[in-house]
Amino acid sequence: MPTSASPAPGQPAQAGGSWRGRAVRLVVATIWLTYLGQPLGRLLGGQGWTRWLGLAGLAAFVGIYLGGLALSRTWRGAGPRRASWPLRWGLVVALLISAAVTVPAAGDTSLTFLVFVSAMAVAQLPLPAAIPTVAVLLAAAETAPRLVAGWREGGVGLGIVLAAVAVWGFRTAFQRQQSLVVAERELAESALEAERTRIARDLHDILGHSLTVVAVKAELAQRLLAVDPDRARAELADLESLTRDALADVRTTALGIRGMSLPGEIAAARSALGSAGVDPILPTAADGVPSRWRELFAWTIREGVTNVIRHSGATTCTIDLTADSVTVLDDGRGCAERSTTGQGLEGLRQRSALAGAVAATGPGPDGRGVCLSVVVPGTP
């Protein structure tokens, strides 16, 4: 019987592969035709028109069998469309007719053809139709020797069952493999989409913050050129450094190796807020924050400070930092006058959700400004 490396009689060839691979599979499948050696020997030893009719039937059977193997890949690629079922049934019926014309000369050896018909039926037909077909073939192989004098069963019935079971196993394995391929493709597409979303979110957060600070420092340097050239030059030097850092951040983010530093973001917030004319009230240390939350809190400070500089019109920005929460609070325009559904905030909510934390925005304690907070799990 066939193995996993060699298709059974009528077993569909594996999808895909080069023409050489398909040719090799077809050659391997042809090897199983050696089981037709017994009816071939009987036909060659025959006489008269029955001999030639039988040889013609055998040649037609082999051609239909090999053609069915070649077509099975195309039919399988088309899926279970009803339009293909008449062709599949026609293939099985054609094999039966070709085998039938060998009976006058091949006698009981013609029952061997039923093994191949059984395998082809299981390979090509839907299982609700294939099972009765195999049952009919088995009944014919078991009944004919009892009804026709001189005929012997010769184990054909067992061969029919074994061929059907083997091809059914190959068919089931192929379907599971196809399902696995589809699942892997969907997972790969999902991972690719998630990576694209991550890069887009990180680039937005990085560039949004950096360009905001660049604009603030450029405006400040322009105002200082006439009154304090030395301070203006210092601001321009900071501007150059910030631009280089932003470029490096974009590169590392695209490569997926960016890591956020919480102390670095606190220091950057102090500089950015000061340049924008906002009084910063910031923590002096971040040692009390567990390492697993530091990157999320750093992103929160970056997004919160960026929004304060861009949209708040605030004079003071306060950042409160604890072991399990971070809050960015300003005294500027409130929620009614500012959007709290921007892309940056949505990206922060996504980051928080992935970490199991909760990001929220709302008015400040006295109703002024906006309060952005991220609270990690296990806190009230």
Side-chain angles (χ1 to χ4, degrees), residues 101 107 128 166 171 179 191 215 233 240 250 262 264:
V101 300
R171 177 173 175 171
S179 299
R233 280 192 292 270
E240 179 183 4
V250 169
L262 182 56

PDB file of all heavy atoms in Angstrom, residues 101 107 128 166 171 179 191 215 233 240 250 262 264:
ATOM      1  N   VAL A 101     -14.586  -3.515 -19.793  1.00  0.00           N
ATOM      2  CA  VAL A 101     -14.334  -4.082 -21.128  1.00  0.00           C
ATOM      3  C   VAL A 101     -13.181  -5.075 -21.108  1.00  0.00           C
ATOM      4  O   VAL A 101     -12.943  -5.770 -22.118  1.00  0.00           O
ATOM      5  CB  VAL A 101     -14.044  -2.968 -22.156  1.00  0.00           C
ATOM      6  CG1 VAL A 101     -15.212  -2.018 -22.261  1.00  0.00           C
ATOM      7  CG2 VAL A 101     -12.776  -2.207 -21.793  1.00  0.00           C
ATOM      8  N   GLY A 107     -11.039 -12.060 -17.267  1.00  0.00           N
ATOM      9  CA  GLY A 107     -11.721 -12.890 -16.302  1.00  0.00           C
ATOM     10  C   GLY A 107     -11.686 -12.310 -14.898  1.00  0.00           C
ATOM     11  O   GLY A 107     -11.838 -11.102 -14.701  1.00  0.00           O
ATOM     12  N   PRO A 128     -19.505  11.457   1.846  1.00  0.00           N
ATOM     13  CA  PRO A 128     -20.834  10.827   1.868  1.00  0.00           C
ATOM     14  C   PRO A 128     -21.134  10.031   0.604  1.00  0.00           C
ATOM     15  O   PRO A 128     -21.965   9.123   0.634  1.00  0.00           O
ATOM     16  CB  PRO A 128     -21.786  12.027   2.005  1.00  0.00           C
ATOM     17  CG  PRO A 128     -20.965  13.073   2.684  1.00  0.00           C
ATOM     18  CD  PRO A 128     -19.589  12.912   2.122  1.00  0.00           C
ATOM     19  N   ALA A 166      -6.394   3.893   3.207  1.00  0.00           N
ATOM     20  CA  ALA A 166      -5.124   4.599   3.036  1.00  0.00           C
ATOM     21  C   ALA A 166      -5.330   5.965   2.392  1.00  0.00           C
ATOM     22  O   ALA A 166      -4.786   6.976   2.857  1.00  0.00           O
ATOM     23  CB  ALA A 166      -4.169   3.752   2.200  1.00  0.00           C
ATOM     24  N   ARG A 171      -5.988  11.880   2.476  1.00  0.00           N
ATOM     25  CA  ARG A 171      -6.882  13.014   2.232  1.00  0.00           C
ATOM     26  C   ARG A 171      -7.091  13.827   3.510  1.00  0.00           C
ATOM     27  O   ARG A 171      -7.031  15.073   3.487  1.00  0.00           O
ATOM     28  CB  ARG A 171      -8.219  12.492   1.709  1.00  0.00           C
ATOM     29  CG  ARG A 171      -9.276  13.560   1.491  1.00  0.00           C
ATOM     30  CD  ARG A 171     -10.486  12.959   0.817  1.00  0.00           C
ATOM     31  NE  ARG A 171     -11.566  13.924   0.704  1.00  0.00           N
ATOM     32  CZ  ARG A 171     -12.673  13.723   0.011  1.00  0.00           C
ATOM     33  NH1 ARG A 171     -12.838  12.585  -0.650  1.00  0.00           N
ATOM     34  NH2 ARG A 171     -13.614  14.633  -0.045  1.00  0.00           N
ATOM     35  N   SER A 179      -5.336  23.328   6.364  1.00  0.00           N
ATOM     36  CA  SER A 179      -5.869  24.175   7.436  1.00  0.00           C
ATOM     37  C   SER A 179      -4.742  24.804   8.231  1.00  0.00           C
ATOM     38  O   SER A 179      -4.818  25.983   8.630  1.00  0.00           O
ATOM     39  CB  SER A 179      -6.764  23.340   8.362  1.00  0.00           C
ATOM     40  OG  SER A 179      -7.867  22.808   7.647  1.00  0.00           O
ATOM     41  N   ALA A 191       0.509  39.092  12.658  1.00  0.00           N
ATOM     42  CA  ALA A 191       1.755  39.591  13.256  1.00  0.00           C
ATOM     43  C   ALA A 191       2.313  40.756  12.452  1.00  0.00           C
ATOM     44  O   ALA A 191       2.829  41.729  13.028  1.00  0.00           O
ATOM     45  CB  ALA A 191       2.781  38.461  13.329  1.00  0.00           C
ATOM     46  N   ALA A 215       9.895  72.729  17.242  1.00  0.00           N
ATOM     47  CA  ALA A 215       9.180  73.966  16.908  1.00  0.00           C
ATOM     48  C   ALA A 215       9.267  74.982  18.036  1.00  0.00           C
ATOM     49  O   ALA A 215       9.481  76.192  17.810  1.00  0.00           O
ATOM     50  CB  ALA A 215       7.717  73.641  16.594  1.00  0.00           C
ATOM     51  N   ARG A 233      22.121  80.803  20.532  1.00  0.00           N
ATOM     52  CA  ARG A 233      23.027  79.776  20.022  1.00  0.00           C
ATOM     53  C   ARG A 233      22.902  78.475  20.835  1.00  0.00           C
ATOM     54  O   ARG A 233      22.959  77.372  20.282  1.00  0.00           O
ATOM     55  CB  ARG A 233      24.458  80.296  20.036  1.00  0.00           C
ATOM     56  CG  ARG A 233      24.788  81.206  18.856  1.00  0.00           C
ATOM     57  CD  ARG A 233      26.283  81.456  18.757  1.00  0.00           C
ATOM     58  NE  ARG A 233      26.769  82.268  19.885  1.00  0.00           N
ATOM     59  CZ  ARG A 233      26.814  83.594  19.839  1.00  0.00           C
ATOM     60  NH1 ARG A 233      26.407  84.262  18.764  1.00  0.00           N
ATOM     61  NH2 ARG A 233      27.280  84.266  20.882  1.00  0.00           N
ATOM     62  N   GLU A 240      19.809  71.147  17.337  1.00  0.00           N
ATOM     63  CA  GLU A 240      20.566  70.211  16.513  1.00  0.00           C
ATOM     64  C   GLU A 240      20.677  68.846  17.200  1.00  0.00           C
ATOM     65  O   GLU A 240      20.489  67.800  16.573  1.00  0.00           O
ATOM     66  CB  GLU A 240      21.957  70.765  16.238  1.00  0.00           C
ATOM     67  CG  GLU A 240      22.829  69.842  15.400  1.00  0.00           C
ATOM     68  CD  GLU A 240      24.233  70.374  15.207  1.00  0.00           C
ATOM     69  OE1 GLU A 240      24.552  71.438  15.793  1.00  0.00           O
ATOM     70  OE2 GLU A 240      25.018  69.729  14.488  1.00  0.00           O
ATOM     71  N   VAL A 250      13.987  57.244  15.394  1.00  0.00           N
ATOM     72  CA  VAL A 250      13.209  56.707  14.261  1.00  0.00           C
ATOM     73  C   VAL A 250      13.872  55.450  13.713  1.00  0.00           C
ATOM     74  O   VAL A 250      13.208  54.448  13.417  1.00  0.00           O
ATOM     75  CB  VAL A 250      13.058  57.777  13.163  1.00  0.00           C
ATOM     76  CG1 VAL A 250      12.498  57.156  11.881  1.00  0.00           C
ATOM     77  CG2 VAL A 250      12.161  58.902  13.644  1.00  0.00           C
ATOM     78  N   LEU A 262      12.829  56.029  31.531  1.00  0.00           N
ATOM     79  CA  LEU A 262      11.961  56.874  32.343  1.00  0.00           C
ATOM     80  C   LEU A 262      12.707  58.095  32.877  1.00  0.00           C
ATOM     81  O   LEU A 262      12.205  59.222  32.754  1.00  0.00           O
ATOM     82  CB  LEU A 262      11.353  56.051  33.480  1.00  0.00           C
ATOM     83  CG  LEU A 262      10.382  56.789  34.411  1.00  0.00           C
ATOM     84  CD1 LEU A 262       9.242  57.412  33.626  1.00  0.00           C
ATOM     85  CD2 LEU A 262       9.839  55.818  35.469  1.00  0.00           C
ATOM     86  N   GLY A 264      15.248  59.511  31.535  1.00  0.00           N
ATOM     87  CA  GLY A 264      15.517  60.338  30.361  1.00  0.00           C
ATOM     88  C   GLY A 264      14.299  61.124  29.926  1.00  0.00           C
ATOM     89  O   GLY A 264      14.407  62.299  29.530  1.00  0.00           O
TER      90      GLY A 264
END
